Amino acid sequence: DEKSRVLVDKTSTGKVRPWREKKIANIDYYELLHILEFKKAERVKKCAVVLEYKSDMETGEIKLFKVWFCKSRLCPMCNWRRSMKHSIQTEKVVAEVIRRKPKARWLFFTFTVKNALNGEELNKSLSEMAKAFTSKLVKYAKVKKNLIGFMRATEVTVSQKDGSYNQHIHALMCFENTYFKNSENYINRDEWTAFWRRAMKLDYDPWVYVEAVKPKGKYKDGVAGAIKESAKYPVKDSDYLTDDEERNLQIVKDLEEGLHRKRLISYGGLLKEIHKELNLDDAEDGDLVNVDDEEKEVSEQAYSIIAVWNWNRENYFIKGDR
């Protein structure tokens, strides 16, 4: 019916949440899975088809209440929710670390290895990287000496040149300020490269990027900027939703294989303890409904508003409008 309203869901600052764009991208992803005959294709198709909100009688404010998400690794809808959640959780954890350790210094890293050429190589490489970082690199005596804690996030991008996969780790690491004191404590970029090479057992020097996170500098808002950088989507859907379907199919196939059962986000040291103390659930696998920290208390009188995806009109419409 012509009177039915299109869903408009805005943040407290008035930004429209991109439900429609994400659902359209989710459907494109579903279609690729369907062609590749992945069992989970139907599950992905059902992701966020119905959104239930609670609306406050007095203020008219709406709060997301119930949605079913497929939680597939590459789903654009779920990745959007995960990324928001990861960002907000890390901000809370970091704020608490700064409160307890005001003199601590923050560094932002990118650790890379040679590009993987297919899904199998990617899968193996991601497992090796996670292990090398968490079980070796952060435990080396010189690193451990001043390390307070870290947050590690893995990202995979697709090379526009040759279609290979660039898998890398972004890490936000927190050190005692003695780290910058002298050469017994300070680790320069060449040393970080050597440590990463050793942890990964490589026969070449990998590219390692390191930057002290200052209030000014590349990350304009200092630590907050570095958090945003490390809370990006592990995989951008623009990498596999291109005009070249054959290439898209190959990329989805490789990424599904490569990311299978991988932990892409992890915390260590004081950041891990605080994440636990704050009782934050798993950013990758936990609740994707309440992600944006807008603690809107919904009154008892709140009524439900249901928005349903309309496949023909490619948008969310409010059901049984009143």
Side-chain angles (χ1 to χ4, degrees):
D1 94 66
E2 282 313 301
K3 286 209 235 18
S4 60
R5 279 182 308 166
V6 170
L7 169 74
V8 180
D9 178 6
K10 290 182 178 170
T11 65
S12 55
T13 56
K15 237 174 87 179
V16 175
R17 292 195 174 92
W19 288 103
R20 177 174 185 254
E21 294 76 15
K22 297 301 174 189
K23 184 60 192 168
I24 288 171
N26 156 275
I27 294 163
D28 291 340
Y29 166 53
Y30 148 73
E31 282 164 357
L32 295 168
L33 288 178
H34 181 69
I35 296 167
L36 291 165
E37 298 185 353
F38 270 89
K39 275 203 194 93
K40 66 173 176 184
E42 287 306 310
R43 209 178 86 221
V44 168
K45 186 182 182 180
K46 292 181 184 134
C47 185
V49 169
V50 179
L51 312 178
E52 184 179 344
Y53 291 86
K54 287 289 183 199
S55 175
D56 194 299
M57 289 280 208
E58 286 150 38
T59 62
E61 267 192 300
I62 62 170
K63 181 173 168 44
L64 191 61
F65 179 65
K66 251 210 273 247
V67 188
W68 185 83
F69 291 108
C70 70
K71 291 192 179 171
S72 176
R73 263 287 178 250
L74 297 183
C75 172
M77 177 68 84
C78 295
N79 274 338
W80 162 54
R81 307 296 295 175
R82 276 189 198 110
S83 177
M84 266 199 291
K85 178 170 188 161
H86 177 200
S87 207
I88 284 157
Q89 284 196 354
T90 306
E91 276 168 27
K92 285 183 178 172
V93 169
V94 166
E96 183 55 27
V97 174
I98 290 171
R99 199 181 67 74
R100 292 186 202 180
K101 294 263 186 190
K103 290 197 171 76
R105 299 291 297 269
W106 296 83
L107 284 94
F108 181 74
F109 294 85
T110 303
F111 295 97
T112 68
V113 290
K114 274 186 181 155
N115 287 15
L117 300 174
N118 54 44
E120 197 182 337
E121 271 186 28
L122 183 60
N123 190 308
K124 190 166 170 278
S125 180
L126 289 173
S127 296
E128 284 167 359
M129 287 168 82
K131 198 171 148 201
F133 183 87
T134 313
S135 310
K136 293 180 186 167
L137 183 81
V138 297
K139 296 197 169 145
Y140 290 152
K142 196 169 177 181
V143 177
K144 205 172 139 185
K145 195 167 158 185
N146 291 297
L147 183 65
I148 293 170
F150 64 83
M151 193 279 299
R152 161 187 81 82
T154 304
E155 187 184 13
V156 180
T157 54
V158 182
S159 158
Q160 294 306 312
K161 268 212 308 269
D162 59 7
S164 63
Y165 302 97
N166 175 261
Q167 63 284 23
H168 50 276
I169 284 175
H170 290 305
L172 183 62
M173 296 169 81
C174 177
F175 291 92
E176 299 288 359
N177 61 354
T178 42
Y179 173 88
F180 285 101
K181 213 166 158 183
N182 51 31
S183 58
E184 273 103 82
N185 289 282
Y186 182 70
I187 304 170
N188 65 31
R189 190 176 147 193
D190 290 345
E191 284 179 280
W192 278 114
T193 303
F195 282 152
W196 182 236
R197 177 178 172 155
R198 187 172 122 203
M200 282 297 293
K201 301 189 178 115
L202 303 172
D203 57 2
Y204 59 91
D205 278 343
W207 185 78
V208 172
Y209 172 84
V210 53
E211 186 188 8
V213 181
K214 301 187 188 77
K216 308 249 183 308
K218 181 174 174 194
Y219 302 108
K220 284 180 198 53
D221 31 2
V223 179
I227 291 170
K228 283 193 176 59
E229 183 66 18
S230 54
K232 289 190 310 195
Y233 304 166
V235 177
K236 295 180 189 68
D237 47 54
S238 56
D239 270 347
Y240 62 86
L241 298 179
T242 69
D243 297 337
D244 182 344
E245 193 183 59
E246 208 169 311
R247 188 165 169 257
N248 295 345
L249 289 166
Q250 188 57 55
I251 291 171
V252 165
K253 190 170 171 291
D254 286 342
L255 289 174
E256 287 290 343
E257 183 180 353
L259 296 170
H260 186 59
R261 304 182 73 162
K262 294 287 178 288
R263 293 276 324 148
L264 299 179
I265 298 168
S266 73
Y267 294 88
L270 184 59
L271 280 81
K272 187 178 183 170
E273 287 165 34
I274 288 174
H275 190 279
K276 216 169 145 181
E277 280 172 35
L278 294 176
N279 211 4
L280 301 170
D281 79 340
D282 188 333
E284 288 186 79
D285 222 22
D287 167 24
L288 294 180
V289 177
N290 304 296
V291 296
D292 57 0
D293 215 34
E294 290 186 3
E295 293 298 323
K296 287 187 204 152
E297 279 306 307
V298 181
S299 71
E300 301 286 298
Q301 276 78 48
Y303 62 90
S304 283
I305 288 182
I306 311 262
V308 182
W309 179 254
N310 183 312
W311 296 90
N312 298 324
R313 293 158 77 184
E314 293 195 320
N315 213 334
Y316 286 97
F317 288 90
I318 310 261
K319 197 175 141 188
D321 210 357
R322 46 189 235 167

Coordinates of all heavy atoms in Angstrom, one line a residue, residues 48-84:
A48 N 18.7 -10.2 8.9 CA 18.1 -8.8 9.1 C 17.0 -8.5 8.1 O 16.9 -7.4 7.6 CB 19.2 -7.8 9.0
V49 N 16.1 -9.5 7.9 CA 15.0 -9.3 7.0 C 13.9 -8.5 7.8 O 13.2 -7.7 7.3 CB 14.4 -10.6 6.5 CG1 13.1 -10.5 5.8 CG2 15.4 -11.2 5.5
V50 N 13.8 -8.9 9.1 CA 12.8 -8.2 10.0 C 13.5 -7.5 11.1 O 14.4 -8.1 11.8 CB 11.8 -9.2 10.6 CG1 10.8 -8.5 11.5 CG2 11.1 -10.0 9.5
L51 N 13.3 -6.2 11.2 CA 13.9 -5.4 12.3 C 12.7 -5.0 13.3 O 11.7 -4.4 12.9 CB 14.5 -4.1 11.8 CG 15.4 -4.2 10.6 CD1 15.9 -2.8 10.2 CD2 16.6 -5.1 10.8
E52 N 12.9 -5.4 14.5 CA 11.9 -5.0 15.5 C 12.5 -3.9 16.4 O 13.6 -4.0 17.0 CB 11.4 -6.2 16.4 CG 10.3 -5.8 17.3 CD 9.8 -6.9 18.2 OE1 10.1 -8.1 17.9 OE2 9.1 -6.6 19.2
Y53 N 11.7 -2.8 16.5 CA 12.1 -1.7 17.4 C 11.1 -1.5 18.5 O 10.0 -1.9 18.4 CB 12.1 -0.4 16.6 CG 13.2 -0.3 15.5 CD1 13.0 -0.8 14.2 CD2 14.4 0.3 15.8 CE1 14.0 -0.7 13.3 CE2 15.4 0.4 14.8 CZ 15.2 -0.1 13.6 OH 16.2 0.0 12.6
K54 N 11.6 -0.9 19.6 CA 10.6 -0.4 20.6 C 10.6 1.1 20.5 O 11.6 1.8 20.4 CB 11.2 -0.8 22.0 CG 11.1 -2.3 22.3 CD 9.7 -2.7 22.5 CE 9.6 -4.2 22.9 NZ 8.2 -4.7 22.7
S55 N 9.4 1.6 20.5 CA 9.2 3.0 20.3 C 8.6 3.6 21.6 O 7.7 3.1 22.1 CB 8.2 3.3 19.1 OG 8.0 4.7 19.1
D56 N 9.2 4.7 22.0 CA 8.8 5.3 23.3 C 7.5 6.2 23.0 O 7.6 7.0 22.2 CB 9.9 6.2 23.8 CG 9.6 6.6 25.3 OD1 8.6 7.3 25.5 OD2 10.4 6.2 26.1
M57 N 6.5 5.9 23.7 CA 5.2 6.6 23.6 C 5.4 8.1 23.7 O 4.8 8.9 22.9 CB 4.2 6.2 24.6 CG 3.7 4.8 24.5 SD 2.4 4.8 23.3 CE 1.4 3.4 23.8
E58 N 6.2 8.5 24.7 CA 6.3 10.0 24.9 C 7.2 10.7 24.0 O 6.9 11.7 23.4 CB 6.7 10.2 26.4 CG 5.6 9.9 27.4 CD 6.2 9.4 28.7 OE1 7.3 10.0 29.1 OE2 5.6 8.5 29.3
T59 N 8.4 10.1 23.8 CA 9.4 10.8 23.0 C 9.4 10.4 21.5 O 9.9 11.1 20.7 CB 10.8 10.5 23.5 OG1 11.0 9.1 23.4 CG2 11.0 10.9 25.0
G60 N 8.8 9.3 21.2 CA 8.8 8.8 19.8 C 10.1 8.2 19.4 O 10.3 7.9 18.3
E61 N 11.0 8.2 20.4 CA 12.4 7.6 20.0 C 12.2 6.1 19.8 O 11.5 5.4 20.5 CB 13.3 7.8 21.2 CG 14.1 9.1 21.2 CD 15.2 9.0 22.2 OE1 14.9 8.9 23.4 OE2 16.4 9.1 21.8
I62 N 13.0 5.6 18.8 CA 13.0 4.2 18.6 C 14.3 3.5 18.9 O 15.4 4.1 18.8 CB 12.6 3.8 17.2 CG1 13.5 4.3 16.1 CG2 11.1 4.3 16.9 CD1 13.3 3.8 14.7
K63 N 14.2 2.3 19.5 CA 15.5 1.6 19.8 C 15.4 0.2 19.3 O 14.3 -0.5 19.4 CB 15.6 1.5 21.4 CG 16.9 0.8 21.8 CD 17.1 0.9 23.3 CE 18.2 0.0 23.8 NZ 19.4 -0.1 23.1
L64 N 16.4 -0.2 18.6 CA 16.4 -1.6 18.0 C 16.3 -2.6 19.1 O 17.0 -2.5 20.2 CB 17.8 -1.8 17.3 CG 17.9 -3.0 16.4 CD1 16.8 -3.0 15.3 CD2 19.3 -3.1 15.8
F65 N 15.4 -3.5 18.9 CA 15.1 -4.5 20.0 C 15.4 -5.9 19.6 O 16.0 -6.6 20.4 CB 13.6 -4.3 20.4 CG 13.1 -5.2 21.4 CD1 13.6 -5.1 22.7 CD2 12.2 -6.2 21.1 CE1 13.2 -6.0 23.7 CE2 11.7 -7.0 22.2 CZ 12.2 -6.9 23.4
K66 N 15.0 -6.3 18.4 CA 15.2 -7.7 18.0 C 15.5 -7.8 16.5 O 14.8 -7.1 15.7 CB 14.0 -8.5 18.3 CG 14.1 -9.5 19.4 CD 13.3 -10.7 19.3 CE 12.0 -10.8 19.7 NZ 11.0 -11.1 20.4
V67 N 16.6 -8.5 16.2 CA 16.9 -8.7 14.8 C 17.6 -10.1 14.7 O 18.4 -10.4 15.6 CB 17.9 -7.7 14.2 CG1 18.1 -7.9 12.7 CG2 17.6 -6.3 14.5
W68 N 17.5 -10.8 13.7 CA 18.2 -12.0 13.5 C 19.4 -11.8 12.5 O 19.1 -11.4 11.4 CB 17.4 -13.2 13.0 CG 18.1 -14.5 13.0 CD1 18.4 -15.3 14.0 CD2 18.8 -15.0 11.9 NE1 19.2 -16.3 13.6 CE2 19.5 -16.2 12.3 CE3 19.0 -14.6 10.5 CZ2 20.3 -17.0 11.5 CZ3 19.8 -15.4 9.7 CH2 20.4 -16.6 10.1
F69 N 20.6 -12.0 12.9 CA 21.8 -11.8 12.1 C 22.4 -13.1 11.7 O 22.5 -14.0 12.6 CB 22.8 -10.9 12.8 CG 22.4 -9.4 12.9 CD1 22.0 -8.9 14.2 CD2 22.3 -8.6 11.8 CE1 21.6 -7.6 14.3 CE2 21.9 -7.3 12.0 CZ 21.6 -6.8 13.2
C70 N 22.9 -13.3 10.5 CA 23.5 -14.5 10.1 C 24.9 -14.8 10.7 O 25.3 -15.9 10.8 CB 23.5 -14.6 8.6 SG 24.7 -13.5 7.8
K71 N 25.6 -13.7 11.0 CA 26.9 -13.7 11.6 C 28.0 -14.4 10.7 O 29.0 -14.8 11.1 CB 26.9 -14.4 12.9 CG 26.2 -13.6 14.0 CD 26.5 -14.1 15.4 CE 25.7 -13.2 16.4 NZ 25.7 -13.7 17.7
S72 N 27.7 -14.4 9.4 CA 28.7 -15.0 8.4 C 29.9 -14.0 8.4 O 29.7 -12.8 8.5 CB 28.1 -15.1 7.1 OG 29.1 -15.6 6.2
R73 N 31.0 -14.5 8.3 CA 32.3 -13.7 8.3 C 32.3 -12.6 7.3 O 32.8 -11.5 7.5 CB 33.4 -14.7 7.9 CG 34.2 -15.2 9.0 CD 35.0 -14.1 9.6 NE 35.7 -14.7 10.8 CZ 35.4 -14.4 12.0 NH1 34.5 -13.6 12.3 NH2 36.1 -15.0 13.0
L74 N 31.7 -12.8 6.1 CA 31.8 -11.8 5.0 C 30.6 -11.0 4.9 O 30.5 -10.1 4.0 CB 32.2 -12.5 3.7 CG 33.5 -13.2 3.5 CD1 33.6 -13.7 2.1 CD2 34.6 -12.4 3.8
C75 N 29.6 -11.3 5.7 CA 28.3 -10.6 5.5 C 28.5 -9.1 5.7 O 28.9 -8.7 6.8 CB 27.3 -11.1 6.4 SG 25.7 -10.2 6.4
P76 N 28.1 -8.2 4.7 CA 28.3 -6.8 4.9 C 27.4 -6.2 6.0 O 27.9 -5.3 6.7 CB 27.8 -6.2 3.5 CG 27.9 -7.4 2.6 CD 27.7 -8.6 3.4
M77 N 26.3 -6.8 6.2 CA 25.4 -6.4 7.3 C 26.0 -6.7 8.7 O 26.2 -5.8 9.5 CB 24.0 -7.1 7.2 CG 23.0 -6.8 8.3 SD 22.4 -5.1 8.2 CE 21.1 -5.3 7.0
C78 N 26.5 -7.9 8.9 CA 27.1 -8.3 10.2 C 28.4 -7.6 10.4 O 28.7 -7.2 11.5 CB 27.2 -9.8 10.2 SG 25.6 -10.7 10.2
N79 N 29.2 -7.4 9.3 CA 30.4 -6.7 9.5 C 30.3 -5.2 9.9 O 31.1 -4.7 10.7 CB 31.3 -6.8 8.3 CG 32.1 -8.1 8.2 OD1 32.4 -8.7 9.3 ND2 32.5 -8.5 7.1
W80 N 29.2 -4.6 9.4 CA 28.9 -3.2 9.8 C 28.6 -3.2 11.3 O 29.1 -2.4 12.0 CB 27.7 -2.7 9.0 CG 27.0 -1.5 9.5 CD1 27.6 -0.3 9.9 CD2 25.6 -1.4 9.9 NE1 26.7 0.5 10.4 CE2 25.4 -0.1 10.4 CE3 24.5 -2.2 9.7 CZ2 24.2 0.4 10.8 CZ3 23.3 -1.8 10.1 CH2 23.1 -0.5 10.6
R81 N 27.8 -4.1 11.8 CA 27.4 -4.2 13.2 C 28.7 -4.5 14.1 O 28.9 -3.9 15.1 CB 26.3 -5.2 13.5 CG 25.1 -5.1 12.6 CD 24.3 -3.8 12.8 NE 23.8 -3.7 14.2 CZ 23.1 -2.6 14.6 NH1 23.0 -1.5 13.8 NH2 22.6 -2.6 15.8
R82 N 29.4 -5.5 13.6 CA 30.6 -5.9 14.4 C 31.6 -4.8 14.5 O 32.2 -4.6 15.5 CB 31.4 -7.0 13.6 CG 30.8 -8.4 13.9 CD 31.7 -9.4 13.3 NE 31.0 -10.7 13.2 CZ 30.7 -11.2 12.0 NH1 31.0 -10.6 10.9 NH2 30.0 -12.4 12.0
S83 N 31.8 -4.1 13.4 CA 32.8 -3.0 13.4 C 32.4 -1.9 14.4 O 33.2 -1.4 15.1 CB 32.9 -2.4 12.0 OG 33.8 -1.4 12.0
M84 N 31.1 -1.5 14.4 CA 30.6 -0.5 15.4 C 30.9 -1.0 16.8 O 31.3 -0.3 17.7 CB 29.1 -0.4 15.2 CG 28.7 0.8 14.3 SD 27.0 1.3 14.6 CE 26.1 -0.1 14.0

